[in-house]
Amino acid sequence: MPESHRPDQPRKRLVVVGSGMATTRLIEELVARNATATMDITVLGDEPVAPYNRILLSAVLEGTHRPEALTLRSPEWYADNGVDLRLGARVLTVERELKDVMLVDGTLIEYDVLVLATGSIPTLPPIRGLVRMDGSLHPSVHAFRSLSDCEGLVEAIEAIDDQGPINKRAVVVGGGLLGLQVARALGARGLDTEIVEGGEHLLHQQINTAAGKILSRDLKKLGVSVYTGARAVRLHSPDEPATPGLSGIGAVRVLDPLPRNPGKVALRLDNGFNLDTDLLVLTAGGRPSTALARGCGLEVRRGIVVDDRLASVTDSNVHALGDCVEHDGRTTGFVPPAWEQAGILAGILCDEAVKYDGSRIVARLRATDLDVAVLGDAEREIAAGGEVVEVSNPISGSHRRLVVRDGRIVAATLVGDLSRVGLITQHFDRQTVLGPHEPGNLLMPERSGDEGSVALTLPDDAEVCACAGVSAGRIRACSSFEQARDTTRATTGCGGCAPTVRQLLGSRPALATSQKGS
């Protein structure tokens, strides 16, 4: 923890570009270390709203959370803790020689240490007709990356609802984690929803083919159709001639010769077939936001290249954090690694002897009635000699796979049944050496009737919240759900750990009801 500031010592000026979830965690960690006693901290947020939880945007779309429930820390919290939060402050350039950043309004802000937490930006897929002649998106097309995007999509859905009892349709381009969240939310709002994914199966970068097929079946049961191995190539008017359809498994629904609703558009796939829709939501394609880093001469490959101190390999006074980071040749794009980086970077900025090894990769799907958890990089570990232990039950919609090397869990994929995710994550993080039968036992489901008591038997060091890295013991030490949320940040990531947290606290139903939207 920093020493008390002496009057003869200059205060370090720390400027953070970006106000997303990674930055919020960094500031929380710095405040916990009393860093404001020796630092002047300025956070520059591009968006005009207080930092919020992007993972739960799909919950706002679905209607289960209010937008204000997503706020991570209010502007008042920043002010009360001596941090200068500037919203709507877009950075134009960084001058490393002068050690200052310039905002688009011409304001100059000097720094001693700079942190770039610029996140990721969406990339438009190569679909003709997405962009109009004036450079704007077609009115039926929506991106889904920000709160503003989410609110615009909600307004579009409400406008369709106002047209009366018509057959409302939506197509989501992209079968990754975000695409599945959005598709599930649209389906819950009463739209006939379809996912178009160019890969051979859903979540093809995180799970294998067997798990992808089970996930597709789970979505179909929830009313969401899935089309894989096909790419969208053109958005056009629905009155163009349709291509004759196919029948049977994998057939794509073909546009009727005459439009069922004059407001619909058609999305043509690379196999020549068409999907008619009211809304087209783009969730495929995103890359680290590196324009500022490139502009000031930092080394950039896919992301901003950093060392084990999360410092740019070009300039040790510039650090990077979150989705924009490339460490050891890898980028992540998930919240848990970004939050891990934030805790480590806070220690580095406070002169602690810590470093980042980039080993903890955790992803969690947050969508109603869909459960997916991914630990580590399975394909990489299999290539390195890892052995696969797998249990699949397509009938119940579950698929569980561990990759084990030298008796240690080095990767895991769980679809449909997360009853053992806490214990598996604990072994994954601690690199526990397991006996020959333990991996298989970990994949077996809990006995019927035991599910509600699983949390109560977790050891104190078992991880409950994968996003924030919170153990069962830390939750048990809290007196209420609110205290657990505020002091540990559990439930503020994907929200999937909320039921377990409530069980550990012995929460009453009234408390659970009051926390809807947390």
Side-chain angles (χ1 to χ4, degrees):
M1 185 170 293
E3 297 178 359
S4 298
H5 179 68
R6 297 199 308 265
D8 60 334
Q9 286 182 320
R11 292 176 62 84
K12 183 185 296 184
R13 297 167 299 182
L14 172 64
V15 174
V16 185
V17 179
S19 61
M21 297 179 72
T23 293
T24 303
R25 174 53 60 91
L26 173 65
I27 300 304
E28 290 174 340
E29 294 281 353
L30 289 172
V31 167
R33 290 168 168 82
N34 195 30
T36 52
T38 59
M39 297 181 190
D40 291 326
I41 304 175
T42 302
V43 175
L44 305 174
D46 192 3
E47 296 183 67
V49 296
Y52 58 89
N53 187 333
R54 293 180 187 273
I55 297 177
L56 295 180
L57 284 175
S58 60
V60 174
L61 177 61
E62 187 174 337
T64 58
H65 286 54
R66 302 178 307 277
E68 57 270 23
L70 271 60
T71 299
L72 293 171
R73 293 294 185 183
S74 68
E76 291 75 20
W77 181 89
Y78 281 83
D80 291 344
N81 286 282
V83 177
D84 182 9
L85 172 65
R86 305 189 190 187
L87 301 175
R90 179 171 297 182
V91 176
L92 181 63
T93 59
V94 174
E95 291 289 345
R96 292 193 292 115
E97 292 185 1
L98 301 175
K99 284 193 172 183
D100 65 32
V101 299
M102 177 184 286
L103 306 185
V104 293
D105 63 4
T107 301
L108 287 175
I109 303 173
E110 297 179 331
Y111 69 83
D112 297 304
V113 178
L114 177 67
V115 176
L116 297 178
T118 48
S120 63
I121 57 176
T123 55
L124 289 179
I127 302 174
R128 292 178 59 190
L130 288 185
V131 181
R132 298 186 295 185
M133 293 297 292
D134 62 0
S136 63
L137 282 178
H138 188 286
S140 297
V141 178
H142 297 263
F144 197 84
R145 289 280 177 175
S146 68
L147 182 58
S148 176
D149 292 338
C150 180
E151 292 173 340
L153 185 53
V154 170
E155 291 175 2
I157 294 171
E158 291 173 346
I160 297 172
D161 290 339
D162 291 341
Q163 297 177 18
I166 62 173
N167 188 15
K168 298 172 289 186
R169 297 184 180 276
V171 174
V172 176
V173 176
L177 288 166
L178 180 60
L180 268 59
Q181 291 174 345
V182 171
R184 182 67 186 103
L186 291 171
R189 291 190 71 109
L191 282 80
D192 291 337
T193 304
E194 297 161 311
I195 298 174
V196 176
E197 166 56 46
E200 291 305 311
H201 60 83
L202 297 173
L203 298 182
H204 66 276
Q205 293 184 339
Q206 287 85 36
I207 64 179
N208 64 2
T209 302
K213 288 181 178 179
I214 288 175
L215 192 54
S216 293
R217 290 182 59 170
D218 289 346
L219 281 164
K220 186 176 181 180
K221 293 176 183 177
L222 297 171
V224 177
S225 300
V226 177
Y227 305 114
T228 57
R231 297 183 183 277
V233 294
R234 185 183 178 195
L235 185 70
H236 60 92
S237 170
D239 55 5
E240 295 185 18
T243 304
L246 295 175
S247 61
I249 298 175
V252 177
R253 176 179 49 77
V254 180
L255 187 67
D256 290 340
L258 295 177
R260 286 167 285 199
N261 184 307
K264 293 187 186 297
V265 292
L267 184 68
R268 178 162 294 174
L269 307 184
D270 59 1
N271 55 15
F273 296 101
N274 297 274
L275 303 176
D276 64 332
T277 184
D278 298 285
L279 298 171
L280 178 65
V281 186
L282 306 177
T283 65
R287 57 183 175 82
S289 178
T290 59
L292 278 178
R294 289 184 187 275
C296 67
L298 299 178
E299 181 174 346
V300 174
R301 294 172 193 163
R302 177 167 173 78
I304 303 170
V305 182
V306 299
D307 58 21
D308 291 347
R309 299 183 66 257
L310 292 167
S312 164
V313 295
T314 308
D315 187 340
S316 61
N317 292 312
V318 180
H319 297 264
L321 180 66
D323 292 355
C324 65
V325 164
E326 179 176 330
H327 176 268
D328 195 24
R330 302 164 73 181
T331 58
T332 62
F334 303 126
V335 170
W339 277 0
E340 180 189 21
Q341 291 172 5
I344 291 171
L345 182 55
I348 290 170
L349 295 175
C350 293
D351 299 322
E352 297 174 11
V354 293
K355 65 178 183 179
Y356 178 64
D357 62 14
S359 62
R360 194 174 194 273
I361 299 176
V362 180
R364 181 82 177 261
L365 172 65
R366 194 279 169 202
T368 304
D369 298 322
L370 285 178
D371 292 310
V372 179
V374 179
L375 311 177
D377 186 336
E379 297 309 314
R380 182 173 178 173
E381 297 297 344
I382 292 172
E387 297 180 296
V388 175
V389 183
E390 196 167 29
V391 175
S392 186
N393 187 342
I395 304 301
S396 66
S398 66
H399 180 89
R400 300 178 294 280
R401 180 171 74 152
L402 303 180
V403 181
V404 180
R405 184 153 46 87
D406 298 327
R408 298 175 172 87
I409 296 174
V410 292
T413 303
L414 306 172
V415 175
D417 181 358
L418 303 188
S419 61
R420 296 292 186 94
V421 67
L423 191 54
I424 290 171
T425 302
Q426 178 189 13
H427 291 317
F428 171 75
D429 281 340
R430 297 177 61 180
Q431 288 294 279
T432 309
V433 177
L434 303 176
H437 299 293
E438 287 186 276
N441 292 337
L442 285 170
L443 295 184
M444 301 308 295
E446 297 292 332
R447 294 190 304 272
S448 177
D450 287 349
E451 290 85 350
S453 62
V454 170
L456 303 181
T457 62
L458 287 175
D460 281 349
D461 57 356
E463 184 173 74
V464 171
C465 177
C467 295
V470 181
S471 67
R474 290 182 64 193
I475 297 298
R476 291 187 176 109
C478 298
S479 60
S480 67
F481 188 96
E482 295 92 336
Q483 184 186 24
R485 180 189 59 202
D486 293 340
T487 60
T488 72
R489 307 307 290 157
T491 77
T492 62
C494 70
C497 64
T500 303
V501 170
R502 291 190 176 106
Q503 288 179 23
L504 288 170
L505 294 170
S507 302
R508 297 182 297 276
L511 178 59
T513 301
S514 70
Q515 290 305 318
K516 184 178 182 180
S518 63

